[in-house]
Structures are given as structure tokens and as C-alpha cells.
Amino acid sequence: MISKLFSREPDTRVYFATDIHGSETCWRKFLNSGKHYEANVMVLGGDMTGKALVPIVEEGKGHWHATLLENRRDFESEDEVKEFEESVMRRGYYPFRTDPDQMSELESSEELRDKLFHKEMLGTVERWMQMADEKLDGTGIDCFVSPGNDDQFEVDEIISEAKRVRLAEGEVVEFGDFQMVSTGWSNRTPWDTYREEDEDDLAERLKKMTSQITSPPEKTIYNFHCPPYGSGLDDAPEIDENMRPKHGGRSLIPVGSKAVREALEEGQPTLSLHGHIHEAKGNTRIGNTLCINPGSSYEQGQLLGAVVNLDGGKKVKRFVLTTG
Amino acid sequence: MANNAVAGSDDLFQRKATGLLRGWSVWDGFIYAAFSINLITLGLFTFSYAPFIPDGSLMLAIILAGLYLVFQTVTYASLIAVMPRAGGDYVWTSRVLGGGLGFVLAVTGWWFILWHWVPIYADLLNKEVFVPLAALLGLDGTVAFFSGASGLFTASMIVAVVASLYVSLGMRAYARIQKFCFYGGLIGLAVMIAILLFSSRSDFVSAYNSGAQDLFGAGGNAYQATIAAGEKAGGLSTSSAVYPTLLLIPFLAFFNLYSNWGATLYGEVRGASDFRKNIYAMAGALVFTSIFAVILLLLFAKTFGWDFYYAANANFWNGEGPVSVWPYPGMLVAMLLGNPVLQIILVAVLSLWFFGWTGSVFLSSTRVVFATAFDRVLPEWVSRTTNNGVPYAALLLMLIPSIPVSYAYAFGDNFATYVLDAVLVIAITFLGSTVSAALMPWLKPDIYNASPIARYRILGLPMITVVSIAFGVFLVFCIGQWLFNDLYGANNGQSLIYMMILYAIAFAMYAGFRLLRRAQGMDLAMVYDEIPEE
């Protein structure tokens, strides 16, 4: 009885984080997380790319201005501009330098803005993969990344070219005796994002993926960006038709996927990893499956994550949610 | 698919992505903050303590405290701006000052102590709902029952069941119930004000004498008898001296210290506007409630008579006077209506202020229990939910202990005195968050500097530090008075020992689970450690 309270030496220690949304700070922390938590395996759930572009407008004669978090800033030197650019990147936004003429064009052209977003997002992911190759080389730590519903499809191509990071989307990957299947696809959202589909289609997608698994449930991990419906890991503020939180944000409703829930109930993997709903940090059990959503505080530069010891037992018992 | 970038406001371009919400309604935030400081349920009861300091000015104390506590709203709005979606006092304190301190303060202030608030809520339910309604219905036996120990225990169980029901229904349903109760309660308040405004003193004297006779069997001129008994007991208002007025403020904290209850932020942080909106919602509720409190008191003075109002409350606490039940102003106003049906309707409508607020005794606690379980300080099972999402384990951890606590409160010889520090423990928890806020710029510089409030400075210091020191002064003043001034009855030795035992249990739990997790290979230091960036 007492011995059950104490852990066997884990076969594998997994570190999982998700939804870093372009935050330079969170990515750098993620690359150090394996060493910091003595994990053998690092997994980054979906939504790597940022949500906003921050223009730094040149007014001439070495003067610039920009606005971040509704605070207007004026800069008189290159150093000040660089410092501001770093603070923007830490937050997960993309800074870019421009002038009043180009700003006018961007404001009036959706196409130009799309192109700029594309360039900044993909350029950042490419740079991040280079950082990962340098940082993880020689560590012996496995690193898996699977994009989420907010990440465009070109991200996959960039990740798949990295040497020390493995693209996990749609694949069954192995580490030790464990198999993990991953997807960033979610059920429909009000934002009409890149990787979302109806529940039936998502169920079909998940079935195809999970059917490739050959390991027993206690050696299986599902890394599905979208949390299971009604698990508490999917509680989000109820919003009205104008995308405003109802009741001051106090009314929470489940927005997760029923297809994901069904897949978990049927497959009963030992562990399932989720993200997507930043506010819904937590863990729960669906049958024998330990389900985790570590949440996200990427804007604050905090890397929320989970350290999980896998010992091959029927249930995962040793884990902790972290605030890196 | 429409993943098109959209031109954002303030020189920002956003693309469509999950979680990008437009701002929430300040009015909605205001409603929930106003419910937390609840003028009708908490305020009117708290004001009844004023006769203990007859040479202080109750109205001035309400205004001063209401204005000063704006510092509290700015402190909490700042914490939310720096660490949004964090989950409140536990997370702020544990991340800034350390997991042990965060756990001990939050578990005592948001969990253990709220078991003791169940009978306190029940006492208010009896005084403001059951006893007045029973009296108006002519149910003398019921009045006696709910004025006694058995009635208090019964009401405690009703509070526990109603709060559990709200938790089980979930936040969506509770938000709707609260909004319904707010608007219904506002109608009741408006009717109450109108009756007070359009009734004369002589109308009230006549209505009270008649009501005291019919409802409570107090014959003769009960109005004059009430004032005479109050005067004899020294409970009439005598002056408006400054220091005695300040001494009323620790009493008032029982009602106006909670505008931050449930303070949080959902969706992405847009910037300074979110910070301001939280201040508008919380400070707006605080100022609105304080203004309405003064308006009500002015109307009480006009219609009831100030001497009568003070005397009736003094008599209740001294066990004197012709009427033994607490002079609930809602019932006093109802007496002016004459018609029993209308009287009952008014008291029932005013009771919405109680029923919309009841969930607060368990809801925030379950959130703290969850947060500590997610940090693995408490075992995993406490965060379990049913398939419908009901947090049954956390709920049981609130509900079950509240039953013996309520029983002991109702029937025990001394237990009620153990609960005297119920507000003090909450204030100490708030003090932990306040110290965290003050030190945030130095202890968590990266997070602080990335926040929209980093540019705000006062006298060269970060604004969050200045406002939190100002709020801290308020808390230290109140805590000091509660601990060292006999006036409040909270420095009872047994009560303090009991509270220290609660702190000791919390500390033992933290130390025990930390050792256990370490033995299991899961050092809880990992929860709070920051990963190096380079």
C-alpha cells in the first residue's frame, strides 16, 4: 500500500507545452525545458504562430512610433526601436518596420496584410527551427511539434525540414515503448481557422490516425490539440454574436470536441495532451486516460506546461503542471 | 475559410485566430462586483454595528472607506493586467511570493474559512428573509424557530444546499441567475427608496407601532420605547468625531472589502483599456454601492429617525427594547405598505439580493481547490468532475465540513466566537496578494514589464506598488484593530487560537504533500520554477 504511494523509476519523462502563439520567449523556454525538467521527450502542441502584426512607423529623421497594448511609443534611436521589437516578439506579435505610405496601403489592402502575415509567420517558424537544431543537437532529447488549428499548412513543411524537431501531425511517432498520435485539427470555431472541420469529419480523421497505433493503451498517447468536450479542459467564455464575452466573461461553456471525447473513450490511451482553450488549464480523467491541458500565458512570456512521468502502468500517476 | 488579416485598432493588425474576443461589457462586470459587496444583504446588516461606536459618523465612514478602497480595485485590476486568467489570490501569491505562502493563505482564506461563512450567510438569511417573512405571515412559531439555534442550523443547511446547487448548475446558469436577481433586487431597492422618500416620520411611527404589535406583540408606543431603551444603553449617535469614524471602517470591511471577488479576465489582453475596464467595473460597483448606502441611510434618518435607527440596532445587540428580532430595514419599510401581501412581496423581492449572492460561499472556493490540485499540492481526485462537469469532490470538500461547523456554530457554547475572525482571515489573504502586487515589478520583472501597466508610474515608483501599498495600509489598519481592539470582539483568544490551528493545518498539508511529491519524483518546486530563456 505504502509502496504504491512512491514512484517507480519512470521509463520516460515527457514535457508538454502548447499554444505559444509566436512568443519568442516561450519558444526559447520550450527549447530549454527538456534539460530544465530532465525530460526525455518534449512535445509542443499546436498554435505556434502569432496573431498580430505591430507596425513601427518611420516618421523621418530617425523618428519612429508604434503602439503596443494601446500604449503609443515614440523612438529616437535604432537601439530604442530594436528594444521595442524584442518586446513585441516576446509577446508573440510580429514587429515590422514601415512608413506612412506603406501603412496606408496595408490599411486598405487585405491582400497585402495577408502576405505580410504569411511572410512574418513562416519566417519566424523557419528561424525557430534553426534555433532548435542548434539548441537540441547532442542533447538526446526527442522533440515533437504538431501545428494547431491557428497554424497555416505551410508551417508543416518548414517543421518537416528541421533536423532536431519532428513533425508529429497525423503521424504515429515512437519514443521508447510508447506510441503517440497527434493532430492540430479541431471542431468548428467562431474564427474559421485553418484546421477546423465538422465533428463527423474530425471523428473520421481521428479514427484513421488511431487505427494505425499498434501499442497497448498503457503505452499510447494522444496529442490532440482540441480538448474533449465537457471535460472542463474546454471551458471557454460564452460569447455573443459580436464576439463579446457574455456576462462579463463569467459564463463558461464547454467548446471542446465530441469526436475527441469519443476517440478517448474508445482508445483509452494512458495520456492525452491538449491545448486550444488557454483559460482551461487543468487535468481530468476519462476512464483510465489522464487528460491534460496546461493552458497558455504566452503573452506574459510564461510557458505553461506539464511534466509527466510515464512508467507503463495502467494509469499515469506522476505528473505536475508547471509555470515555466 | 477566411483567415484574412484585419486592420485592428491602435495601429495593430490582427488575423482571425482562436480566442480573439472583443471587450466584455463593463456593465456586466459591474453587476457581479456589485453583488459581491451587496448593499442589501451585507451592507444593511453591517451598518447595525454602528451603535458600538456612537461618536463616529457612519455615513462619513462609508464614504471614506468606499473612496479609499478604490486603491483595492486598482491593485486587483493591476494584478489581472499583469497576470490575467491566473485564477486569483492563490496563483498571484504563489507565483510571486512562493508556493507555500500562496497555498497557506489561499487555503485558509478561500477554503477553510468559507466553511465558517456558511452559518454567517445563514444568519443573514434568517434575519433578512425567513424571520421577516414568517412575521409578516403571522407564523410566530416560525419566527421563534428561525431566531434560535435549530433555525440557524436549518438555514445553514439551506445555504449549503443552494450554494451546492449553483455550483452544480455551472457558471453559465449561475451568471444568469445572478443577473436575474440583480435586476429583481434593483426593483426592490427602487421601491424601498420610493416608499422611504414619500413616507413621513409620523407615517412610520404609526406603521411601526402597529407592526410591532401585530407582528411581534410589542404593545404601546414601541417606537418611543425603542428610542428610550437605545438611549439608556448608550447606543444613540452622539457626534461625528474623526478617529471614532475611522474606527467604524473595520466594521464596514465586513461588507465593502469584496469588490474584487471573482476578479478575472477572459480572452486576449488588449491593453490599457482592459485594465481600465476592470477598474470601472469594480470601483464603479464600490462607489455606486457606497452612494446608495448613504442615500438609504439619509432616507432612514428622514423616515425612521436617526435615533430610532441607531436605537433599534443597539437594542438588538444588547438584547433590549420592545422587539427582539433584528430591525431589518426591508421589513421596517414593508411595514409602511400596510397591505400584508405587498409587504411579503417587497421582502421576497429584496431577498433576491441574498439568493443571487449565496453561490459565492462555495464557487470561489472550488476554484481555489482546483488550482491547488492542478499544482499537485492537493491530490488529483479533488479536481474530479462528473460527466456533466460538476466538481463533486471540491464541492464535497466545501459542503461536508460546513455541516459540523454550522452545527457547532448553532449549538456550541463558544464556537460562534471562534468565527469572529472570519473577515480577518480573508483580509490576510488579500494582504498576501497586495504584497505580491507591490513587489511584482522586482520579483517578476519580465512578466511585469510585458504588461500594459508597466508604463504607469507615481512619484517615480511603479503604480502597482504605490496603489498596493495604499491598500495594504487599509488592510493593516483593519487587521491591527481586529487583533488589538476589544471593540470588534475579534481578538477573542479562543478565536485566534482556532484560526491559528487552521493556518497550521494548511501549512502541514503543504509540507506533507511537498514531501510526498518529492518522494514520488515530482518536486513541487517544478510548479513555480521559471525555465531559463537562454
Side-chain angles (χ1 to χ4, degrees):
Chain A
M1 172 68 187
I2 289 174
S3 65
K4 277 188 176 177
L5 284 172
F6 301 98
S7 197
R8 285 174 282 171
E9 191 64 28
D11 296 341
T12 304
R13 173 173 277 191
V14 176
Y15 175 74
F16 173 71
T18 183
D19 293 84
I20 64 171
H21 283 288
S23 166
E24 190 81 11
T25 300
C26 287
W27 176 250
R28 287 173 183 271
K29 286 182 173 180
F30 176 72
L31 293 181
N32 287 332
S33 63
K35 196 173 164 191
H36 186 75
Y37 295 117
E38 298 174 350
N40 320 88
V41 179
M42 297 154 54
V43 180
L44 185 70
D47 290 358
M48 300 173 72
T49 49
K51 300 180 180 182
L53 292 165
V54 178
I56 303 168
V57 184
E58 185 171 19
E59 296 167 330
K61 296 179 184 174
H63 296 287
W64 303 77
H65 80 263
T67 301
L68 182 63
L69 297 171
E70 299 168 349
N71 291 334
R72 182 188 158 109
R73 304 273 302 274
D74 293 286
F75 311 109
E76 304 295 333
S77 70
E78 179 66 20
D79 286 348
E80 285 180 3
V81 175
K82 276 189 176 163
E83 191 183 330
F84 177 76
E85 285 174 331
E86 281 171 19
S87 68
V88 172
M89 288 159 67
R90 286 169 66 86
R91 196 168 185 84
Y93 299 162
Y94 302 111
F96 69 99
R97 298 192 190 196
T98 184
D99 57 45
D101 292 338
Q102 194 192 0
M103 269 298 281
S104 301
E105 287 174 30
L106 282 167
E107 278 166 350
S108 58
S109 169
E110 195 175 290
E111 193 186 341
L112 279 179
R113 293 198 298 270
D114 277 345
K115 275 187 183 170
L116 188 57
F117 252 118
H118 234 62
K119 181 184 151 208
E120 294 294 336
M121 287 193 288
L122 299 181
T124 299
V125 174
E126 203 167 336
R127 185 168 54 79
W128 281 6
M129 291 305 117
Q130 287 165 4
M131 282 168 64
D133 286 346
E134 289 167 20
K135 199 94 186 176
L136 298 176
D137 198 32
T139 61
I141 300 171
D142 292 325
C143 178
F144 300 97
V145 170
S146 58
N149 64 304
D150 278 332
D151 298 321
Q152 62 271 64
F153 297 103
E154 291 91 329
V155 168
D156 300 40
E157 295 163 27
I158 296 170
I159 296 170
S160 61
E161 284 170 15
K163 292 178 192 131
R164 293 292 292 115
V165 177
R166 184 158 171 199
L167 177 70
E169 172 62 38
E171 305 234 352
V172 176
V173 297
E174 293 187 0
F175 45 86
D177 298 338
F178 292 88
Q179 290 189 341
M180 179 174 78
V181 63
S182 308
T183 188
W185 284 79
S186 78
N187 54 333
R188 294 283 178 200
T189 76
W191 294 273
D192 191 17
T193 57
Y194 291 97
R195 302 173 201 235
E196 59 181 68
E197 57 193 345
D198 293 335
E199 289 280 13
D200 289 345
D201 297 328
L202 184 57
E204 192 63 30
R205 178 185 300 276
L206 298 179
K207 202 162 197 173
K208 271 184 197 163
M209 287 193 295
T210 54
S211 64
Q212 297 169 43
I213 287 173
T214 54
S215 57
E218 59 270 22
K219 298 274 187 179
T220 301
I221 298 159
Y222 289 177
N223 170 30
F224 296 159
H225 182 59
C226 186
Y229 179 84
S231 59
L233 309 181
D234 65 330
D235 278 348
E238 183 184 11
I239 54 176
D240 65 16
E241 61 282 3
N242 296 315
M243 310 289 261
R244 289 187 188 280
K246 286 185 175 179
H247 302 286
R250 279 152 183 80
S251 174
L252 302 179
I253 55 170
V255 297
S257 163
K258 290 176 180 169
V260 169
R261 182 163 195 124
E262 282 166 18
L264 288 170
E265 285 170 348
E266 197 178 313
Q268 285 290 285
T270 194
L271 175 67
S272 74
L273 304 169
H274 310 280
H276 196 42
I277 308 300
H278 303 178
E279 293 92 341
K281 171 183 173 175
N283 55 267
T284 190
R285 298 262 175 188
I286 295 179
N288 288 333
T289 304
L290 172 68
C291 312
I292 292 176
N293 174 2
S296 173
S297 287
Y298 73 93
E299 298 155 287
Q300 288 70 49
Q302 285 187 302
L303 185 64
L304 305 188
V307 176
V308 185
N309 282 0
L310 299 174
D311 59 15
K314 196 174 178 186
K315 285 185 177 182
V316 174
K317 290 179 180 168
R318 312 292 179 234
F319 65 97
V320 68
L321 303 190
T322 59
T323 311
Chain B
M1 184 160 56
N3 276 299
N4 303 319
V6 290
S9 59
D10 299 301
D11 301 328
L12 185 79
F13 298 117
Q14 289 179 325
R15 68 186 175 102
K16 279 192 169 184
T18 317
L20 283 179
L21 305 177
R22 300 181 72 192
W24 47 270
S25 149
V26 173
W27 175 244
D28 281 347
F30 170 91
I31 289 174
Y32 299 110
F35 241 119
S36 302
I37 38 181
N38 208 322
L39 171 61
I40 298 295
T41 304
L42 277 173
L44 295 180
F45 179 73
T46 306
F47 304 157
S48 75
Y49 288 102
F52 285 103
I53 309 177
D55 47 350
S57 166
L58 176 59
M59 284 188 253
L60 187 58
I62 290 169
I63 293 167
L64 288 175
L67 290 176
Y68 197 86
L69 282 173
V70 170
F71 285 122
Q72 178 190 22
T73 66
V74 182
T75 299
Y76 273 82
S78 302
L79 282 165
I80 294 164
V82 178
M83 294 173 75
R85 303 191 292 266
D89 293 288
Y90 168 64
V91 177
W92 291 319
T93 307
S94 62
R95 270 43 173 184
V96 178
L97 299 180
L101 191 59
F103 180 84
V104 170
L105 291 182
V107 159
T108 47
W110 283 99
W111 180 15
F112 294 172
I113 206 63
L114 287 172
W115 299 331
H116 304 76
W117 275 83
V118 169
I120 294 174
Y121 275 51
D123 193 33
L124 294 172
L125 177 61
N126 283 348
K127 285 184 168 64
E128 298 178 354
V129 183
F130 289 158
V131 168
L133 283 177
L136 291 169
L137 287 164
L139 305 172
D140 294 345
T142 310
V143 170
F145 176 76
F146 281 112
S147 299
S150 299
L152 183 58
F153 181 65
T154 303
S156 299
M157 294 305 93
I158 292 170
V159 166
V161 169
V162 171
S164 302
L165 182 68
Y166 287 158
V167 173
S168 303
L169 289 172
M171 285 303 291
R172 186 187 197 191
Y174 186 53
R176 280 161 175 72
I177 291 168
Q178 277 204 302
K179 198 171 257 188
F180 168 79
C181 289
F182 180 78
Y183 286 119
L186 269 191
I187 291 169
L189 180 60
V191 170
M192 190 173 166
I193 287 172
I195 294 170
L196 285 165
L197 197 60
F198 296 113
S199 301
S200 67
R201 177 81 54 85
S202 59
D203 291 339
F204 178 73
V205 172
S206 157
Y208 183 76
N209 285 338
S210 167
Q213 168 72 56
D214 296 344
L215 305 180
F216 305 109
N221 190 336
Y223 183 86
Q224 278 305 330
T226 298
I227 294 176
E231 192 169 15
K232 192 176 167 191
L236 301 194
S237 176
T238 55
S239 66
S240 301
V242 175
Y243 189 61
T245 298
L246 295 180
L247 291 181
L248 280 167
I249 290 176
F251 275 130
L252 295 178
F254 181 76
F255 123 86
N256 62 9
L257 195 60
Y258 318 117
S259 63
N260 59 339
W261 209 264
T264 187
L265 180 71
Y266 293 92
E268 306 289 320
V269 179
R270 271 163 299 280
S273 63
D274 281 332
F275 169 63
R276 286 194 296 269
K277 282 170 76 172
N278 259 314
I279 295 175
Y280 295 154
M282 290 190 284
L286 184 67
V287 171
F288 166 89
T289 305
S290 300
I291 289 170
F292 265 79
V294 171
I295 289 171
L296 270 186
L297 290 173
L298 286 170
L299 289 169
F300 293 168
K302 176 193 94 62
T303 308
F304 301 159
W306 200 234
D307 282 350
F308 171 83
Y309 178 67
Y310 259 63
N313 284 309
N315 292 343
F316 172 75
W317 293 115
N318 291 324
E320 303 286 344
V323 175
S324 60
V325 303
W326 180 59
Y328 171 46
M331 184 181 62
L332 298 180
V333 172
M335 286 177 175
L336 282 159
L337 284 169
N339 183 317
V341 175
L342 292 178
Q343 290 174 332
I344 290 166
I345 290 173
L346 178 62
V347 173
V349 171
L350 287 173
S351 77
L352 293 174
W353 285 100
F354 180 87
F355 288 108
W357 168 76
T358 318
S360 58
V361 75
F362 284 176
L363 266 168
S364 303
S365 321
T366 53
R367 200 179 300 171
V368 167
V369 170
F370 266 58
T372 52
F374 294 156
D375 278 359
R376 308 292 285 140
V377 187
L378 291 181
E380 185 194 345
W381 62 264
V382 305
S383 62
R384 283 186 193 154
T385 61
T386 64
N387 286 341
N388 298 326
V390 178
Y392 66 91
L395 188 54
L396 289 174
L397 286 173
M398 287 306 300
L399 179 63
I400 292 172
S402 75
I403 296 171
V405 164
S406 297
Y407 186 87
Y409 185 94
F411 297 106
D413 289 336
N414 291 318
F415 195 82
T417 65
Y418 295 179
V419 181
L420 288 172
D421 291 320
V423 184
L424 186 148
V425 173
I426 291 176
I428 289 172
T429 301
F430 287 177
L431 188 61
S433 294
T434 305
V435 172
S436 305
L439 299 177
M440 182 92 75
W442 292 277
L443 296 183
K444 291 285 175 187
D446 289 343
I447 296 172
Y448 172 75
N449 289 326
S451 76
I453 62 160
R455 70 173 186 147
Y456 298 131
R457 299 181 82 80
I458 298 172
L459 300 171
L461 285 169
M463 181 203 65
I464 189 174
T465 302
V466 176
V467 293
S468 53
I469 287 173
F471 177 47
V473 168
F474 180 94
L475 290 172
V476 169
F477 171 72
C478 289
I479 292 167
Q481 291 297 327
W482 289 325
L483 286 177
F484 301 113
N485 193 334
D486 293 343
L487 194 61
Y488 306 96
N491 60 346
N492 174 300
Q494 287 176 324
S495 168
L496 289 173
I497 289 168
Y498 180 72
M499 295 301 157
M500 292 310 296
I501 289 170
L502 295 183
Y503 280 108
I505 291 170
F507 177 76
M509 284 171 71
Y510 181 79
F513 276 106
R514 180 142 192 185
L515 289 171
L516 176 65
R517 299 288 179 237
R518 188 177 292 168
Q520 292 173 338
M522 280 291 169
D523 195 331
L524 292 183
M526 284 195 289
V527 174
Y528 316 107
D529 270 359
E530 198 159 334
I531 307 170
E533 207 179 317
E534 299 304 328

